[in-house]
Amino acid sequence: MIPNHPDSNPTAAPCVMVIFGATGDLTKRKLLPALCNLAQDNLLPKQFAIVGFATNDYTTESFRKMLGQEIPKYAPAPVDLKFWDGIAERIYYVRGDFQDPEAYKRLKEQIEQADKLQNALGNRFFYLAVAPRFFSPIVKKLGECGLTKEENDRWARVIVEKPFGHDLESAKQLNQDLMQVLTEKQIYRIDHYLGKETVQNVMVFRFSNNIIEPLWNRNYVDHVQITAAETVGVEHRGGFYETAGALRDMVPNHLFQLLTMTAMEPPISFDADQVRNKQAEVLHAIQPLSPEDVLKNMVRGQYGAGTVDGQRVGGYRSEPDVAPDSNTETFVALKLQIDNWRWAGVPFYLRTGKRLAQRTTEIVIQFRRTPFVLFRNTTVKNLETNRLVIHIQPEEGISLSFGAKVPGSVMKLGLVNMDFDYCTYFGLEHSTGYERLLRDCMAGDATLFQRSDMVEAGWNVIQPILDVWRALPARGFPNYAAGSWGPVEADDLLERDGRSWRRIGEEEIDKRGRIAAPDKAGIIT
Ligand code: BG6
């Protein structure tokens, strides 16, 4: 993990990757393109094979052919076919039902054969790209046919996709089921947000810069905002989304990754458990929510018809596979308090939603205002506060705003920006976000994967919200127009505290780095 550390880049070991649900979207959109990118960067082990397992009617030949045609269409960036060919010849396919013991026999034979052909040394990892109801039965079957056994230095690991449970109880049950067969060290609970470069950089930014960390606490920070806004609706996933909703889909996983990376104490090393211990501590320190807190500090919303990117779009209730009177939320905003020595009294405001005005994921650290006394007898009427924005996507970078004197004989202050843009400094990376995670799994580094206690601690925070919302179904849905910034209650949540959400997209920064809002000249007298 750490640059300059002898163990910082553990190499991916020879292995067979087995993809359950290999004919689904994830394989062609993310997993295979990520493997091509790893091959291009010379980071894929030479002794490597892929075995796809699914119910669809393919042979190894037709499966390779289908992927070869589909990957260029779906991959986020063009895949260099030179590397694809090298991978294609190491792909095998087994057709079978996830519940059928006979299919597992065929799978086992194919894995052993692929292992022999590619000299994968008996190591294997299973990627469960399947509906969550199959997680436990698949792992049970893998155990029964001896595929999860680790002996003579051979390892066996299982990557589990989200959602990991749909509430606290089901997450605990799933952990128990997996642990009947596997040890914690064999389980890699994936959250693709941790594969994002800028999310990983939060830790590096905080802990490798001496000017940042001393300010990163309740003495200097007024509040923190975390936004994950999407312009897309539920697309073809209405059926799944109806059972999930924005809270389950985004908060205990992706938003809590951003929250814990932002709020955690410095770990003593980048060792997987050291880092994850610190993340878990943050989740445990979140003040438990009473039913009153839920009613006061949690906002839910659902989009109605509106305009997104200049296009008229329908409301959530008219999406395919969505009930016409659905009460599922497509937006949430919450206020959480982390009741520890670093953060007590500093609210963390989180929001996420579909069909919002702009696609943006960002973390805003809003610093406290300085004393005004010096400016009392000047023309300056108020002081803007310093704000640090960590841009996760689509822009990737960090910007810090601060006040400066506008040249002239009258005292005027301008709000100016210092910007770091990933692309300008480091150039564009060809990345799907899965490269690092797949390689880490092959190398046995679980730092960027969820541990069972973290998953349960996350659900523990969320459970009171689920309980209250189940008891009191939402009234007045839809309550925001597609293309807006969500329901008005989300603005009220901050306004009650004398604060407001960062106005994303409304602050145009001119060439000299000045923010042209609130007044076009960047002057905030
Ligand atoms: C997924 C959610 O986990 O993350 C989706 O299920 C959501 O609903 C997606 O759209 C967002 O990921 P990203 O990387 O586009 O921010």
Side-chain angles (χ1 to χ4, degrees):
M1 273 293 299
I2 329 172
N4 306 326
H5 187 279
D7 299 330
S8 62
N9 283 313
T11 34
C15 59
V16 177
M17 172 183 187
V18 183
I19 309 175
F20 278 76
T23 52
D25 267 12
L26 193 71
T27 307
K28 56 193 180 202
R29 279 183 200 274
K30 303 286 184 185
L31 302 181
L32 270 282
L35 293 173
C36 288
N37 289 339
L38 284 174
Q40 188 169 352
D41 292 341
N42 212 11
L43 293 170
L44 197 66
K46 300 270 177 292
Q47 297 150 260
F48 179 70
I50 301 162
V51 176
F53 184 43
T55 47
N56 301 59
D57 197 4
Y58 287 103
T59 60
T60 288
E61 279 318 307
S62 61
F63 184 58
R64 287 178 184 173
K65 194 163 161 223
M66 179 276 285
L67 289 176
Q69 287 162 352
E70 300 277 289
I71 288 170
K73 283 192 236 156
Y74 288 97
V79 172
D80 191 330
L81 287 181
K82 195 165 72 206
F83 298 98
W84 164 245
D85 291 344
I87 289 179
E89 63 198 23
R90 297 192 259 169
I91 296 179
Y92 308 88
Y93 184 78
V94 176
R95 182 187 169 206
D97 188 300
F98 303 145
Q99 312 270 19
D100 174 15
E102 288 304 312
Y104 284 78
K105 281 191 197 146
R106 293 200 303 277
L107 178 65
K108 193 173 179 187
E109 278 165 24
Q110 181 61 82
I111 294 171
E112 282 163 0
Q113 201 191 348
D115 191 306
K116 222 188 248 160
L117 282 169
Q118 306 298 339
N119 195 19
L121 307 184
N123 299 322
R124 50 188 77 120
F125 71 103
F126 302 91
Y127 199 115
L128 307 192
V130 296
R133 67 177 187 283
F134 292 119
F135 293 163
S136 297
I138 287 176
V139 169
K140 191 159 177 258
K141 290 266 180 325
L142 287 175
E144 282 165 4
C145 62
L147 278 166
T148 54
K149 209 146 94 209
E150 298 192 304
E151 54 191 358
N152 306 331
D153 283 341
R154 295 168 179 181
W155 50 259
R157 299 174 185 141
V158 176
I159 298 188
V160 187
E161 263 291 338
K162 76 177 264 280
F164 198 91
H166 54 90
D167 58 10
L168 178 58
E169 206 189 309
S170 58
K172 280 185 175 169
Q173 184 61 53
L174 181 51
N175 274 330
Q176 268 176 30
D177 292 350
L178 300 188
M179 245 93 103
Q180 300 266 317
V181 180
L182 304 161
T183 62
E184 178 62 39
K185 283 207 171 349
Q186 293 179 281
I187 308 171
Y188 287 66
R189 298 172 192 81
I190 204 165
D191 183 316
H192 79 276
Y193 261 53
L194 287 178
K196 293 182 195 286
E197 206 56 64
T198 34
V199 176
Q200 293 165 29
N201 186 46
V202 176
M203 238 195 316
V204 173
F205 176 65
R206 287 186 55 198
F207 301 133
S208 69
N209 291 297
N210 204 19
I211 58 166
I212 300 298
E213 196 47 24
L215 308 178
W216 209 263
N217 56 54
R218 63 192 162 120
N219 297 326
Y220 296 94
V221 176
D222 176 74
H223 72 276
V224 176
Q225 299 180 10
I226 299 179
T227 296
E230 298 184 271
T231 50
V232 290
V234 288
E235 299 174 297
H236 56 280
R237 295 165 72 225
F240 156 75
Y241 207 81
E242 279 285 85
T243 63
L247 181 68
R248 287 186 171 94
D249 190 37
M250 295 291 289
V251 179
N253 31 65
H254 306 328
L255 290 200
F256 279 5
Q257 301 304 344
L258 302 180
L259 175 84
T260 54
M261 286 280 173
T262 307
M264 70 196 268
E265 294 300 316
I268 57 159
S269 80
F270 279 92
D271 172 77
D273 276 333
Q274 298 296 347
V275 173
R276 297 187 298 178
N277 286 346
K278 296 300 173 195
Q279 286 181 280
E281 279 171 14
V282 172
L283 295 169
H284 287 299
I286 294 176
Q287 210 166 319
L289 301 168
S290 67
E292 292 73 32
D293 294 329
V294 174
L295 293 175
K296 198 167 147 231
N297 293 330
M298 312 293 141
V299 175
R300 54 188 153 164
Q302 186 194 79
Y303 62 85
T307 305
V308 176
D309 293 332
Q311 303 272 324
R312 282 298 293 170
V313 296
Y316 174 71
R317 289 177 177 180
S318 61
E319 300 279 12
D321 302 322
V322 170
D325 57 350
S326 170
N327 253 336
T328 302
E329 82 284 353
T330 59
F331 175 97
V332 279
L334 9 152
K335 173 179 166 184
L336 299 173
Q337 300 278 357
I338 301 174
D339 210 1
N340 63 12
W341 281 90
R342 185 186 286 265
W343 295 116
V346 179
F348 281 67
Y349 300 100
L350 277 54
R351 66 175 164 168
T352 182
K354 301 233 178 246
R355 286 280 189 235
L356 296 181
Q358 195 175 311
R359 176 169 182 249
T360 307
T361 302
E362 64 173 34
I363 303 166
V364 177
I365 311 293
Q366 186 72 55
F367 289 93
R368 286 169 169 235
R369 196 169 66 74
T370 54
F372 188 68
V373 59
L374 183 62
F375 297 92
R376 205 184 277 159
N377 297 323
T378 70
T379 48
V380 174
K381 294 195 197 69
N382 62 57
L383 291 177
E384 286 289 314
T385 48
N386 295 112
R387 191 172 56 205
L388 184 100
V389 184
I390 303 176
H391 305 275
I392 306 287
Q393 62 185 22
E395 270 81 49
E396 299 183 317
I398 295 175
S399 51
L400 174 69
S401 65
F402 58 94
K405 184 181 173 301
V406 176
S409 50
V410 179
M411 173 67 93
K412 284 183 175 172
L413 294 192
L415 194 60
V416 297
N417 238 22
M418 276 199 306
D419 276 315
F420 152 65
D421 173 56
Y422 250 84
C423 187
T424 314
Y425 275 80
F426 298 121
L428 263 187
E429 277 278 305
H430 49 273
S431 165
T432 63
Y434 279 73
E435 290 78 1
R436 169 71 192 267
L437 299 172
L438 290 175
R439 195 169 78 92
D440 280 2
C441 177
M442 294 183 229
D445 182 352
T447 312
L448 297 178
F449 293 85
Q450 299 295 287
R451 220 171 41 191
S452 59
D453 59 316
M454 296 163 74
V455 171
E456 291 178 19
W459 280 115
N460 198 37
V461 174
I462 294 301
Q463 191 61 48
I465 313 178
L466 295 173
D467 293 342
V468 173
W469 284 3
R470 193 178 45 233
L472 298 172
R475 273 185 279 163
F477 275 4
N479 60 353
Y480 70 97
S484 70
W485 277 109
V488 65
E489 290 81 2
D491 294 330
D492 296 345
L493 180 69
L494 272 72
E495 266 161 36
R496 280 204 303 267
D497 297 343
R499 302 179 173 114
S500 57
W501 294 105
R502 187 174 99 84
R503 287 161 29 218
I504 296 166
E506 288 175 28
E507 289 170 342
E508 296 303 326
I509 296 164
D510 73 18
K511 289 214 169 58
R512 280 177 294 167
R514 288 191 317 201
I515 299 175
D519 139 330
K520 281 271 179 279
I523 295 166
I524 51 163
T525 51

